[in-house]
Amino acid sequence: MSEKRLQKRDEISDEYKWKLEDMYETDELWEAECEKASQIAEKLSGFKGHLADSAATLLDFFKKQDELSYYLERIVVYANERSHQDTAVSKYQAYVSKAETLTVQASGALAFASPEILQIDDKRLESFYSESNELMHYKRAIDEIMRQKEHTLSAAEENILAQCGEMAAAPENIFSMFNNADIKFPYITDVEGNKIRITHGNFIDFLSSKDRSLRKQVFRGVYDSYKKWSNTVSMMYISKLKNDTFYARVRKYDSARTMYLSGGDIPESVYDNLIETVHAHLPALHRYMALRKKLLGVEHLHMYDLFAPIVDNVQTTYTYDEAKKLVAKALEPMGDEYVSTLKAGMESGWIDVYENENKRSGAYSWGAYGTHPYVLLNYADNLDSVFTLAHEMGHAMHTYYSNEHQSITYAGYLIFVAEVASTCNESLLMHYMLEHCEDENERKYLMTHFLDGFRTTLFRQAQFAEFEHIAHRKMQKGEPVTKDVLNELWYELNVQYYGPDMRVDDEISYEWMRIPHFYTPYYVYQYSTGYSAAVAFSKKILEEGKPAVDKYIGNFLCGGCSKNPIELLKSAGVDMSTPKPVDDALNVFEDYLKQFETATK
């Protein structure tokens, strides 16, 4: 019996690794910039009590703040990405800690600014704008501070909260180390007799196996592992809920949700519209589960059957080189400039491709202003990995365009729009593959992938959103929040979402424990809203061509945070303040479901 193991970092060819040297050629340069950032933060403290002195002083403050943001972004991204490529390297764990300390130092140095700006008389501020055209560049930033006036504390109180930053980050940091470096899943034996350890990277791949006993073995192996640590992991998340509730109360928000959505000026009705609209379409998801049960030919459909192939005899292996070509071809409707930049990025060190021992799980795109974006993958030669490449390069291209067309003040697009460009790329890729598919069986396979994309993104992320909102509400109301309460809540949501044809296994109660996004509160709903907006944009791009592309790239991708997210999307042609985009997207799901039901009769 042979044993397959993960490659170590140094065993992977450099052509499949990102080039973090493009950000800092040496670690010593990173350390030097840490010192520089610390000095700038100290200088910013010197503005305390003087922001209302003159237009020139206020302008100088904002310029210095931009300079600090430039260095801090680079420092934080580099430290984390060095750590993520091998989470067991203590040097880079220390770098992450140092970057967090610097961030807290910067927050402390700037704590006086918002309260002080809020004290500037409106007429005096208007006179500043009249005196300085340069200061007008910062008017939107100042207006955003004014919008938060009710929730901004005194300078002393803001400084105290800033000093609490490292402590407040503890639940997320502890969970990250636990989930990426400490928890170990059991070994399983595959059909060829190979002994393989289950990892975050191969978990879904195993659940996609045709071997049901293997799926069941892997499913139980993972969730039994979380069950053993369930008291510890529950306390991590409960601590996070307490943090959020504390900050919401201190800042005089009605709830943690109000607090988190206010950052992007997102109406809470958008969140509620999403959940209500998804609930209205749950019968369609239940129909899909009934069809999955029928096609698998099982007496009871189990949670470990969700990724099992229900269409046979199709190519499901794609090398990384094949994936790059396929993604570039599928995105040709985006225009020559977009595609040429995309190709250059995929060939010039933007991407860290393969899983290695202790590498951070999952995938993301992350960059710092002034350098190209970076993409972390754990590529696994399957169709999901192809779509992940398209998805993360959508993020990267959004970052690229925003950085190219906005100053550092407004380049960072807000979370609400963060998943639109990525999912639009996925939608265009699916359209291309379906259009160029000649084999009927392969077409059915792609339709299942498309339907599962809706299930795992629009439906599942709405389920995540519902879970964390209920958990936060319970904490806010002073109701008991324990491991058992959270497990029961997650179990019941699975029953509700997957319907009567799904046998919801007891082990699924522990699934919420492996979701890192819960430590970035009120984030996941934006996967669902973003997916809906992306379906709308991809439809416009395919139907209207260049005018829609120009509007999408020019008004949206290049927009950064130069406008409120709802207005930014509206300017590009999609109004997310209404339930319509979500409803329209779910109608697309139902249309494809009908086609698939007909094709499999």
Side-chain angles (χ1 to χ4, degrees):
M1 182 184 294
S2 62
E3 180 181 323
K4 290 184 180 179
R5 66 170 181 83
L6 281 176
Q7 287 182 296
K8 294 186 182 298
R9 181 75 184 171
D10 59 9
E11 294 173 333
I12 294 175
S13 171
D14 286 346
E15 68 178 300
Y16 299 115
K17 297 176 184 175
W18 51 23
K19 293 181 181 175
L20 296 181
E21 297 80 10
D22 293 347
M23 204 180 312
Y24 295 101
E25 288 185 26
T26 66
D27 287 348
E28 288 72 24
L29 290 173
W30 180 86
E31 290 167 2
E33 282 202 1
C34 285
E35 182 59 31
K36 190 178 291 186
S38 182
Q39 291 169 3
I40 295 169
E42 202 169 311
K43 287 178 183 176
L44 279 163
S45 298
F47 283 89
K48 186 176 180 180
H50 298 285
L51 294 184
D53 287 359
S54 66
T57 301
L58 189 57
L59 175 62
D60 192 24
F61 166 79
F62 275 110
K63 284 183 173 180
K64 274 280 186 291
Q65 183 177 247
D66 278 352
E67 188 180 3
L68 179 60
S69 295
Y70 172 79
Y71 289 120
L72 271 183
E73 274 189 23
R74 289 160 54 83
I75 288 164
V76 169
V77 170
Y78 183 83
N80 278 277
E81 290 184 346
R82 279 293 184 204
S83 180
H84 291 167
Q85 67 189 25
D86 187 342
T87 58
V89 177
S90 59
K91 175 183 179 180
Y92 294 122
Q93 291 175 16
Y95 272 26
V96 171
S97 179
K98 185 172 183 177
E100 286 178 355
T101 300
L102 272 173
T103 302
V104 170
Q105 179 192 347
S107 296
L110 291 167
F112 73 92
S114 290
E116 199 166 309
I117 289 169
L118 288 169
Q119 295 303 312
I120 301 176
D121 180 79
D122 289 346
K123 287 183 180 179
R124 186 167 181 77
L125 201 52
E126 287 302 321
S127 72
F128 284 177
Y129 293 140
S130 299
E131 290 173 35
S132 172
N133 287 330
E134 278 191 272
L135 187 60
M136 282 298 294
H137 171 73
Y138 294 101
K139 186 177 186 304
R140 171 167 166 75
I142 293 170
D143 287 345
E144 282 297 289
I145 292 170
M146 295 298 184
R147 188 172 62 80
Q148 299 288 352
K149 185 171 186 174
E150 182 187 347
H151 309 291
T152 304
L153 309 181
S154 70
E157 289 168 330
E158 288 291 343
N159 187 48
I160 291 170
L161 289 185
Q163 296 303 317
C164 292
E166 284 186 278
M167 289 188 295
E172 180 180 4
N173 291 338
I174 295 167
F175 176 79
S176 180
M177 289 306 300
F178 164 77
N179 210 39
N180 290 303
D182 291 342
I183 191 170
K184 300 298 179 189
F185 303 123
Y187 285 91
I188 56 94
T189 304
D190 68 14
V191 290
E192 296 171 355
N194 298 308
K195 187 181 179 184
I196 310 170
R197 182 183 283 280
I198 306 167
T199 67
H200 290 291
N202 63 25
F203 176 50
I204 298 299
D205 212 31
F206 281 132
L207 289 184
S208 302
S209 169
K210 294 179 182 179
D211 184 342
R212 198 179 194 207
S213 62
L214 178 66
R215 297 198 304 268
K216 183 177 181 180
Q217 183 185 357
V218 169
F219 178 85
R220 288 186 170 174
V222 165
Y223 292 120
D224 282 350
S225 299
Y226 281 101
K227 184 177 181 180
K228 290 173 186 174
W229 290 94
S230 59
N231 290 312
T232 301
V233 180
S234 295
M235 191 50 63
M236 293 177 203
Y237 186 57
I238 290 166
S239 297
K240 180 62 180 169
L241 293 174
K242 289 179 178 179
N243 271 358
D244 295 338
T245 302
F246 166 77
Y247 278 101
R249 284 175 180 162
V250 167
R251 290 200 175 277
K252 303 170 188 173
Y253 286 100
D254 291 339
S255 67
R257 186 176 77 168
T258 310
M259 178 177 69
Y260 281 106
L261 268 62
S262 74
D265 200 12
I266 307 299
E268 290 189 78
S269 59
V270 171
Y271 203 101
D272 293 329
N273 286 342
L274 169 68
I275 303 299
E276 289 168 14
T277 307
V278 167
H279 281 184
H281 286 267
L282 282 178
L285 183 60
H286 299 168
R287 272 170 49 206
Y288 183 43
M289 292 302 101
L291 185 58
R292 173 168 280 277
K293 175 183 172 183
K294 171 189 163 187
L295 293 175
L296 284 174
V298 295
E299 182 180 358
H300 299 293
L301 187 72
H302 285 265
M303 299 303 294
Y304 49 79
D305 296 321
L306 277 172
F307 293 92
I310 53 179
V311 178
D312 293 327
N313 302 319
V314 293
Q315 177 195 350
T316 56
T317 300
Y318 299 84
T319 67
Y320 179 61
D321 285 338
E322 288 171 338
K324 287 188 294 184
K325 291 174 185 175
L326 184 54
V327 168
K329 195 72 180 169
L331 295 178
E332 285 182 357
M334 293 293 294
D336 294 341
E337 181 195 354
Y338 184 98
V339 173
S340 63
T341 305
L342 176 98
K343 286 179 177 177
M346 292 193 293
E347 299 296 340
S348 58
W350 289 21
I351 306 176
D352 203 77
V353 180
Y354 293 113
E355 185 180 15
N356 58 254
E357 191 174 294
N358 298 317
K359 183 176 175 180
R360 183 193 187 276
S361 62
Y364 67 69
S365 173
W366 197 7
Y369 194 83
T371 60
H372 63 73
Y374 288 92
V375 169
L376 180 140
L377 300 177
N378 283 278
Y379 193 85
D381 286 354
N382 56 29
L383 190 60
D384 280 335
S385 289
V386 179
F387 276 87
T388 299
L389 174 62
H391 181 100
E392 298 305 337
M393 285 305 293
H395 283 307
M397 293 299 291
H398 192 177
T399 299
Y400 171 83
Y401 275 108
S402 288
N403 287 355
E404 285 288 305
H405 292 271
Q406 298 291 332
S407 69
I408 191 169
T409 317
Y410 302 118
Y413 50 84
L414 297 182
I415 289 175
F416 186 79
V417 300
E419 296 302 329
V420 176
S422 53
T423 313
C424 183
N425 274 12
E426 285 195 72
S427 188
L428 292 171
L429 174 59
M430 178 54 71
H431 174 82
Y432 176 84
M433 295 186 75
L434 286 170
E435 283 287 301
H436 293 83
C437 177
E438 296 178 354
D439 180 80
E440 184 58 31
N441 215 40
E442 183 179 357
R443 181 174 176 77
K444 286 191 286 188
Y445 177 82
L446 289 169
M447 279 198 285
T448 65
H449 191 276
F450 191 59
L451 292 169
D452 282 331
F454 272 90
R455 177 181 65 78
T456 58
T457 307
L458 214 165
F459 285 106
R460 182 168 166 81
Q461 301 302 327
Q463 180 187 346
F464 283 5
E466 193 167 359
F467 170 81
E468 68 173 340
H469 185 47
I470 294 171
H472 276 90
R473 271 193 327 206
K474 285 179 178 295
M475 181 63 68
Q476 181 183 353
K477 291 176 181 178
E479 296 177 9
V481 180
T482 64
K483 175 189 75 174
D484 291 341
V485 167
L486 293 168
N487 284 358
E488 183 180 356
L489 171 59
W490 187 250
Y491 184 90
E492 291 302 323
L493 282 171
N494 276 277
V495 171
Q496 178 185 4
Y497 272 69
Y498 290 101
D501 284 282
M502 174 64 75
R503 179 68 64 87
V504 179
D505 303 273
D506 290 340
E507 290 88 350
I508 209 66
S509 299
Y510 300 92
E511 184 187 28
W512 67 269
M513 296 185 185
R514 73 176 187 89
I515 311 299
H517 290 85
F518 289 147
Y519 294 85
T520 308
Y522 292 99
Y523 179 92
V524 291
Y525 84 98
Q526 293 154 126
Y527 283 107
S528 299
T529 54
Y531 195 95
S532 303
V535 169
F537 279 127
S538 63
K539 191 170 184 288
K540 286 177 180 290
I541 289 164
L542 292 168
E543 292 177 355
E544 300 171 20
K546 191 175 186 301
V549 171
D550 290 346
K551 207 172 179 183
Y552 174 71
I553 293 177
N555 290 10
F556 175 59
L557 294 189
C558 295
C561 62
S562 60
K563 290 182 181 178
N564 151 326
I566 296 291
E567 292 303 315
L568 198 67
L569 290 171
K570 194 182 291 185
S571 73
V574 174
D575 186 359
M576 289 304 300
S577 66
T578 74
K580 189 175 186 303
V582 179
D583 192 53
D584 287 349
L586 289 166
N587 285 333
V588 170
F589 172 81
E590 294 199 33
D591 287 343
Y592 273 90
L593 178 58
K594 286 176 188 174
Q595 291 181 43
F596 189 58
E597 285 170 333
T598 301
T600 53
K601 278 185 179 177

